[in-house]
Amino acid sequence: MPVFAIPFPMIDPVAVQLGPLAIKWYGLAYVVGLLGGWWYARRLVATDRLWGGLARPRPEELDDMLLFVAFGVVLGGRTGFVLFYDLPRYLERPQDILAIWQGGMSFHGGLIGATLGLWTFARRRGYPALPVFDLAAAVVPIGLFLGRIANFINSELWGRPAPDFPWAMVFPNGGPVPRYPSQLFEAFAEGILLFAVVNVLVWSGWFRRPGLVAGVFGIGYAIARIVCEFFREPDPQLGFLFGTSVDALSGGITMGMLLSLPVLFAGIWLVLRSRREASA
């Protein structure tokens, strides 16, 4: 064991075993994240002073919105992983595309799916899309935090080698090299920090400027993900898209960085649009 390495806390990836049915922490993270977001969203839409009279879904309508989002997240997340991260494998074995129990979900694909689900919900219910996007942006970090904690429990998506980092860990399936616990970095940046920033704006009345909260979320997520990618080991089937170094704060460009750029640009566009609308 290297001097600076912290032993990995061995946690069973299976949270509950009911006979042949195994409920894993990763699946629970999705369920609890969606339900936690649904519960918090109900509180937000019921608080009139946050909206300034803007049309938004009623609390009882969020049950339907949850279904649209859940379907979009699962379908988009799986499709995104297939297309962005492991397309050659699935072209050879297309029957594995539906085998989601084998793992493989993409946040960026899930974001696209959830956005389409929210847009469909807003259109069918007769609401403007931007306040619905703002509402979702306020609660998404809950799921992001839980998902990254589940990644840590599963000992997956670990960080790059970090022999001199005081809190490096030796992951069970990451070889003998101490690594950054990048899942925890992402849980903090994409979950706790982003939730705090976005919801300070929410409770300061920024829902009244449609698109602004969603834009700040997009900018914040993209920056957090890009920064954390410098500490995260590239996906083995892809490696670096450009460059070869695995040293932290140097080296090549990863798929996660590349996919975060459109999120960053979309967030900037939403913020500028909201400011322009407010000054008109």
Side-chain angles (χ1 to χ4, degrees):
M1 179 73 68
V3 174
F4 293 106
I6 298 175
F8 179 78
M10 297 301 294
I11 303 174
D12 192 339
V14 177
V16 180
Q17 184 79 45
L18 300 173
L21 177 63
I23 302 176
K24 296 186 177 181
W25 289 108
Y26 194 76
L28 280 179
Y30 268 86
V31 173
V32 175
L34 287 168
L35 292 179
W38 166 82
W39 175 85
Y40 185 47
R42 287 177 64 92
R43 180 183 178 192
L44 293 177
V45 298
T47 307
D48 292 333
R49 67 179 179 84
L50 298 179
W51 299 89
L54 283 177
R56 77 275 188 184
R58 299 188 303 273
E60 61 271 18
E61 292 179 309
L62 296 186
D63 298 357
D64 289 341
M65 192 178 86
L66 177 64
L67 294 177
F68 279 95
V69 171
F71 183 78
V73 166
V74 174
L75 183 59
R78 185 59 173 176
T79 303
F81 182 82
V82 171
L83 294 178
F84 302 145
Y85 287 94
D86 214 355
L87 183 59
R89 171 196 166 190
Y90 291 105
L91 288 177
E92 290 182 2
R93 295 181 55 84
Q95 66 272 21
D96 287 350
I97 293 177
L98 299 179
I100 59 176
W101 56 87
Q102 296 178 0
M105 297 288 283
S106 161
F107 167 79
H108 297 91
L111 178 62
I112 294 172
T115 301
L116 291 175
L118 290 168
W119 180 84
T120 303
F121 167 81
R123 182 180 176 86
R124 293 185 64 174
R125 294 285 181 165
Y127 294 113
L130 288 182
V132 176
F133 292 161
D134 288 338
L135 176 64
V139 305
V140 166
I142 298 172
L144 292 176
F145 171 78
L146 294 172
R148 294 310 181 193
I149 295 298
N151 290 147
F152 178 77
I153 292 173
N154 287 347
S155 181
E156 60 188 7
L157 306 183
W158 17 259
R160 304 183 190 185
D164 298 323
F165 183 64
W167 300 288
M169 288 188 174
V170 175
F171 290 92
N173 52 352
V177 180
R179 298 176 177 276
Y180 290 105
S182 58
Q183 313 97 322
L184 301 183
F185 295 174
E186 292 190 78
F188 173 76
E190 301 167 9
I192 296 174
L193 184 59
L194 188 55
F195 180 85
V197 169
V198 170
N199 281 278
V200 164
L201 303 181
V202 166
W203 290 94
S204 298
W206 282 30
F207 272 159
R208 301 170 189 171
R209 298 167 63 178
L212 191 56
V213 172
V216 171
F217 168 82
I219 295 170
Y221 175 82
I223 292 174
R225 178 66 183 267
I226 290 171
V227 170
C228 289
E229 284 281 322
F230 280 110
F231 298 93
R232 175 173 160 179
E233 184 80 5
D235 297 89
Q237 71 276 16
L238 287 179
F240 289 110
L241 303 184
F242 308 100
T244 58
S245 175
V246 296
D247 295 334
L249 301 182
S250 65
I253 302 300
T254 66
M255 180 61 79
M257 294 177 181
L258 186 64
L259 293 175
S260 294
L261 291 178
V263 180
L264 175 64
F265 297 145
I268 293 173
W269 178 80
L270 283 171
V271 169
L272 293 178
R273 181 188 184 281
S274 175
R275 291 173 60 86
R276 185 169 61 249
E277 292 290 330
S279 61

